[in-house]
């Protein structure tokens, strides 16, 4: 295997073990702490075996330290919530499982069925309500981008990116028409406000609608529990059996859940409805305000140069500022993708500039047409 690829895998194993250990250290739940520490030890073992492979090609290689990316992820976790790290680790475990199965198939080895065990464990950790998560305000801003990860940091990055790219395209389109600075500022400000209000309204509706839907489902489940508690208990036991428990274990767990009406409905909410109680506690107004602010922060970047500069100087500064903003956003995305900062940053810049170039060209054509 290629030496650089082996070294990259070794670094990934080291980083993964470091993150598992670091998150385990702050847990107060004993069982969860033990699970995370066990996962860390497994990854350390993987790293040791990977180091041996690397040393076969390069004997002088030593076990690397955790990377700057992993340390930055841990620091950001203190602000945005450690579930952002767990989600990323889940993606890594998923890729490990895919690669393991692929290698076994290529070598003619039999698939054991245990290849996804680590993934199942880390997904269970991610859903564990005992996981110590920080990051209160921004954690409300999750619903709009749940399809790409479901955590506050990713949503924050994408919210700012939405504002930057959309307003840069708008400002460049108007600037291409060679209109006055006041017109550009008016149009850009209108774009900023319209986009931010739209994002805020979308967030408010999303969070509020979800809460109302969940509350309705809980009300129906409560009625069913009051009407036929034994039937609900049987359904819960069957659900546990479907997850792999024995009949005796499933029945014991269901009996324990139904010791009191409060514990019964709480268990049914989690197990049958798959509702996270934190989503019920989230404020629609907090989500709206947060999305407004994040979009506006991104949208102001291409607009502010036209406040004190005119003509091509304002356009150049606007493009330069936007390039820096796009590269920063692209770099932040590497916390989730594992790609190089240079690759992701440059890719984001290229896409953003391409969108701005198209709108600038259209604006220029419209301006010439009107002038003619």
């Amino acid at each position: 295997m290629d030496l650089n690829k082996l070294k990259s895998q070794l670094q990934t194993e080291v980083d993964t073990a470091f993150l598992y250990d670091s998150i385990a250290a702050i847990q107060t739940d004993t069982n969860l702490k033990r699970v995370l520490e066990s996962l860390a030890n497994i990854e350390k073992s993987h790293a040791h075996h990977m180091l041996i492979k690397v040393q076969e090609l390069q004997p002088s290689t030593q076990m690397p330290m955790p990377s700057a990316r992993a340390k930055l992820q841990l620091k950001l976790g203190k602000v945005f919530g450690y579930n952002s790290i767990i989600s990323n680790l889940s993606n890594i475990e998923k890729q490990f499982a895919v690669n393991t199965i692929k290698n076994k198939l290529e070598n003619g080895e039999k698939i054991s069925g245990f290849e996804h065990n680590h993934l199942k464990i880390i997904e269970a950790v991610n859903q564990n309500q005992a996981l110590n998560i920080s990051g209160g305000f921004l954690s409300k801003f999750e619903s709009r981008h749940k399809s790409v990860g479901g955590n506050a940091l990713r949503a924050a990055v994408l919210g700012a990116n939405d504002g930057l790219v959309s307003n840069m395209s708008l400002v460049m389109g108007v600037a291409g028409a060679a209109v006055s600075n006041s017109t550009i500022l008016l149009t850009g400000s209108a774009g900023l406000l319209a986009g931010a209000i739209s994002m805020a309204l979308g967030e408010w509706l999303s969070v509020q609608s979800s809460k109302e839907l969940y509350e309705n489902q809980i009300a129906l489940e409560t009625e069913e529990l009051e009407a036929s508690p034994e039937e609900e208990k049987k359904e819960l036991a069957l659900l546990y059996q479907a997850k792999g428990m024995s009949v005796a274990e499933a029945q014991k767990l269901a009996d324990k859940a139904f010791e009191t009406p409060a514990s019964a409905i709480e268990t049914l909410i989690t197990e049958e409805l798959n509702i996270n109680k934190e989503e019920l506690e989230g404020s629609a107004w907090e989500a709206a305000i947060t999305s407004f602010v994040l979009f506006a922060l991104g949208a102001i970047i291409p607009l502010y140069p036209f406040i004190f500069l005119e003509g091509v100087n304002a356009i150049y500064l606007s493009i330069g500022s936007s390039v820096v903003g796009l590269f920063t956003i692209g770099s932040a995305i590497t916390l989730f993708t594992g790609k190089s900062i240079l690759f992701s940053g440059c890719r984001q810049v290229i896409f953003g500039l391409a969108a701005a170039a198209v709108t600038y060209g259209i604006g220029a054509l419209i301006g010439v047409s009107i002038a003619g």
Side-chain angles (χ1 to χ4, degrees):
M1 190 181 289
D2 179 73
L3 178 60
N4 290 331
K5 190 172 181 180
L6 283 171
K7 283 186 173 181
S8 176
Q9 290 184 1
L10 173 59
Q11 187 65 62
T12 300
E13 299 284 6
V14 170
D15 288 349
T16 304
F18 165 74
L19 290 171
Y20 279 141
D21 260 339
S22 301
I23 299 174
I26 64 165
Q27 298 306 312
T28 54
D29 184 272
T30 306
N31 291 331
L32 187 56
K33 185 183 185 75
R34 189 184 301 115
V35 169
L36 289 167
E37 288 175 344
S38 297
L39 287 171
N41 290 332
I42 291 171
E43 297 303 334
K44 289 173 186 176
S45 177
H46 290 172
H48 177 72
H49 291 304
M50 191 62 66
L51 178 62
I52 293 173
K53 290 184 179 181
V54 173
Q55 288 176 336
E56 290 175 358
L57 299 175
Q58 193 177 70
S60 61
T61 304
Q62 300 295 318
M63 185 68 77
M65 299 295 291
S67 68
R69 177 186 287 125
K71 293 177 181 177
L72 178 59
Q73 278 185 289
L74 190 63
K75 289 180 180 178
L76 291 174
K78 295 178 181 178
V79 179
F80 295 99
Y82 292 102
N83 58 333
S84 61
I85 301 175
I86 295 295
S87 294
N88 189 50
L89 291 173
S90 178
N91 292 333
I92 292 173
E93 295 291 359
K94 187 179 297 182
Q95 190 58 52
F96 281 165
V98 170
N99 290 339
T100 300
I101 292 173
K102 182 181 177 182
N103 291 334
K104 285 186 175 183
L105 291 174
E106 289 176 351
N107 297 328
E109 298 178 25
K110 186 178 179 181
I111 305 300
S112 66
F114 297 109
E115 290 80 10
H116 285 89
N117 278 6
H118 281 193
L119 176 60
K120 291 176 182 177
I121 294 171
I122 196 62
E123 285 181 342
V125 169
N126 199 21
Q127 295 170 5
N128 193 327
Q129 294 186 4
L131 179 67
N132 290 339
I133 298 174
S134 63
F137 188 64
L138 280 173
S139 66
K140 310 301 180 191
F141 179 55
E142 293 184 347
S143 56
R144 188 176 183 88
H145 296 292
K146 275 191 175 181
S147 60
V148 289
N151 63 73
L153 177 56
R154 185 180 275 107
V157 170
L158 293 174
N161 181 68
D162 287 348
L164 198 164
V165 174
S166 63
N167 219 37
M168 178 176 67
S169 299
L170 177 62
V171 167
M172 288 301 111
V174 178
V179 298
S180 65
N181 255 39
S182 59
T183 303
I184 295 173
L185 280 171
L186 178 61
T187 305
S189 299
L192 184 155
L193 286 172
I197 291 171
S198 176
M199 283 279 289
L201 179 59
E203 280 301 313
W204 189 91
L205 287 172
S206 176
V207 174
Q208 190 64 25
S209 298
S210 295
K211 287 180 67 176
E212 290 171 357
L213 172 62
Y214 293 152
E215 287 167 356
N216 183 55
Q217 289 178 319
I218 291 170
L220 291 174
E221 193 67 34
T222 303
E223 288 178 11
E224 290 180 4
L225 177 62
E226 292 174 351
S228 53
E230 288 303 317
E231 288 297 320
E232 289 295 316
K233 186 192 290 188
K234 288 178 182 178
E235 287 182 9
L236 183 60
L238 286 173
L239 180 61
Y240 286 142
Q241 290 174 49
K243 291 184 177 183
M245 292 185 185
S246 67
V247 175
E249 288 174 335
Q251 190 60 54
K252 183 178 179 181
L253 200 56
D255 288 338
K256 183 173 180 59
F258 273 69
E259 285 179 352
T260 65
S263 63
I265 190 59
E266 187 170 337
T267 303
L268 291 173
I269 289 170
T270 304
E271 298 293 344
E272 287 195 10
L273 301 180
N274 291 319
I275 295 176
N276 186 343
K277 291 179 68 177
E278 288 185 1
E279 293 180 8
L280 293 171
E281 297 169 0
S283 166
W285 286 109
E286 280 186 332
I289 293 170
T290 305
S291 60
F292 183 97
V293 171
L294 291 171
F295 186 96
L297 286 175
I300 195 67
I301 293 174
L303 183 62
Y304 82 89
F306 294 92
I307 297 174
F308 52 86
L309 292 176
E310 295 184 2
V312 294
N313 290 331
I315 292 175
Y316 288 153
L317 182 57
S318 176
I319 293 173
S321 300
S322 298
V323 166
V324 173
L326 288 165
F327 189 87
T328 301
I329 289 171
S331 301
I333 292 173
T334 64
L335 294 172
F336 321 119
T337 63
K339 297 288 185 181
S340 72
I341 290 177
L342 186 61
F343 172 81
S344 293
C346 290
R347 180 178 62 182
Q348 198 74 11
V349 170
I350 291 170
F351 289 160
L353 289 181
V358 170
T359 55
Y360 185 89
I362 294 172
L365 289 174
I366 293 173
V368 170
S369 175
I370 293 174

